[in-house]
Structures are given as C-alpha cells and as structure tokens.
Amino acid sequence: FEPTGFQGSDVYINMPSKRKFGVELETSDCECYGELEGSEAWGAKEDCTVTGKELYSDILYGDAGLAAIAELCDFAKSECWEVDSSCGYHAHFNMREETTDSMKAIALAYLLTYEIWCSFVRRSRVGAYYCAASTSSIAEISEIKDWSAYTGYLRRYCWINFHAYYLHRTFEIRLHEGTLDKLGI
C-alpha cells in the first residue's frame, strides 16, 4: 500500500521541501482502520466512489509528512488493506502563501504538462468522471485577478482541482490511481 511512484520508506529521506500538503488515500478494504482513531495525522470517512474508506491526512510538512505517509503505508501492509481500480489518491498542495502571479505560473505549468501527467496513469483514469480534463483554459488562467472568485464556480472533479483553492486554499491533484500494486509492476 504505497503512493504510486514511491519504492519504500527509504525514498522519503532527504526531501528538503517544507511545503504544506495533505493527501486522501482511497481503499477497497481497510479493516482495522478504527485503530487510527486518535491519530494526530489520519482520519477515515465514507466515500461513495470506493467500497472501503477514504483515509485523509491532517496538514503535513516536508520530511515529517512523508514519514507519516510511510507509517500509514506500513500499517496498511501489516493489516492487508486493499485497493482496486476504482481507488486513487488525491494530493493537496498549500497555496496560502503564494501570490496571484505565482499561482498563475503553477496552474499554467500543470495545464501545459497535462499529457505528461496522463502518461503516469492507466488510460482508464484519463478523462474519468472524478478526474476529468480541466475546464480551465490557459487564457482564463492568464487573466485571473482574484483566485477565490475564479475558483468558486469551477467543477471540482478535474484532474487538477482548482476549486480546492476556494475551499481549502490548496490545489488538488486527483489523477493518481490506486495506492496498492499487488503485482509489483
């Protein structure tokens, strides 16, 4: 049970970023999730898109946040949690300290690299309902003066969810697929 693209706990060493972030990890089966109750880092909730639970983090920071994810992954492995093709994970990245211009640059970078992001996941995820292509255009992003006003009316089920800024002051990446690969590929 690991975020796609990570090989194990040793990968989390020497990640110098202090950026605040949060994650939501979907499961198809996660018995004993109740043992996380009282955890400072994790909560669990129902999610109509999966048969298990959606585990969500508190605000995480840099190496300590990555270590918290590694600990949850170790716990999930020990409890034999599972995911299926309906499961994914969402990463929220703090934008509270960013200027309008820096958010524009970040948003444009995501939009311009959409095809690259799509190459990291199964084709079945690309364009799926809960992680559809962004409805924001490069021209719209370039003209933004007020992020809250712009993002308040956007659809949240896009691969890059700018509506999350309106709600949480984050940008959310929703494209990532399941968090467990039993085949090891």
Side-chain angles (χ1 to χ4, degrees):
F1 186 94
E2 296 182 81
T4 302
F6 289 89
Q7 302 300 312
S9 299
D10 59 326
V11 172
Y12 303 118
I13 297 171
N14 297 321
M15 297 287 291
S17 174
K18 298 297 183 194
R19 181 175 287 279
K20 296 174 188 175
F21 65 96
V23 294
E24 301 164 16
L25 306 169
E26 297 172 336
T27 66
S28 58
D29 182 22
C30 61
E31 291 185 32
C32 299
Y33 73 90
E35 291 181 32
L36 296 174
E37 204 164 304
S39 164
E40 292 180 23
W42 298 100
K45 65 181 179 179
E46 297 291 327
D47 183 321
C48 67
T49 67
V50 296
T51 56
K53 298 286 184 189
E54 179 179 273
L55 287 293
Y56 57 91
S57 72
D58 197 357
I59 296 173
L60 303 172
Y61 306 84
D63 287 342
L66 294 173
I69 294 170
E71 287 175 27
L72 179 68
C73 291
D74 290 343
F75 178 78
K77 284 178 188 175
S78 72
E79 297 299 324
C80 299
W81 288 5
E82 295 181 8
V83 299
D84 58 26
S85 62
S86 67
C87 297
Y89 71 95
H90 310 155
H92 286 262
F93 298 99
N94 178 40
M95 293 292 139
R96 287 175 179 88
E97 288 86 30
E98 300 295 335
T99 66
T100 298
D101 285 341
S102 67
M103 284 191 287
K104 284 182 189 182
I106 293 166
L108 290 170
Y110 277 117
L111 292 178
L112 291 170
T113 58
Y114 175 64
E115 292 301 320
I116 295 169
W117 286 92
C118 291
S119 74
F120 297 147
V121 299
R122 285 187 297 259
R123 295 307 305 167
S124 61
R125 288 247 355 136
V126 176
Y129 180 79
Y130 292 106
C131 53
S134 177
T135 57
S136 297
S137 72
I138 291 171
E140 287 175 324
I141 297 292
S142 298
E143 298 299 319
I144 293 174
K145 302 284 187 243
D146 180 345
W147 272 94
S148 288
Y150 174 73
T151 59
Y153 299 100
L154 294 177
R155 181 178 187 269
R156 71 177 273 232
Y157 295 128
C158 294
W159 80 278
I160 175 80
N161 173 14
F162 295 127
H163 182 69
Y165 182 80
Y166 181 77
L167 300 172
H168 310 290
R169 298 298 186 253
T170 65
F171 285 176
E172 177 188 27
I173 306 296
R174 300 179 56 85
L175 186 63
H176 303 299
E177 57 197 33
T179 51
L180 176 68
D181 186 348
K182 289 184 176 184
L183 301 176
I185 53 175

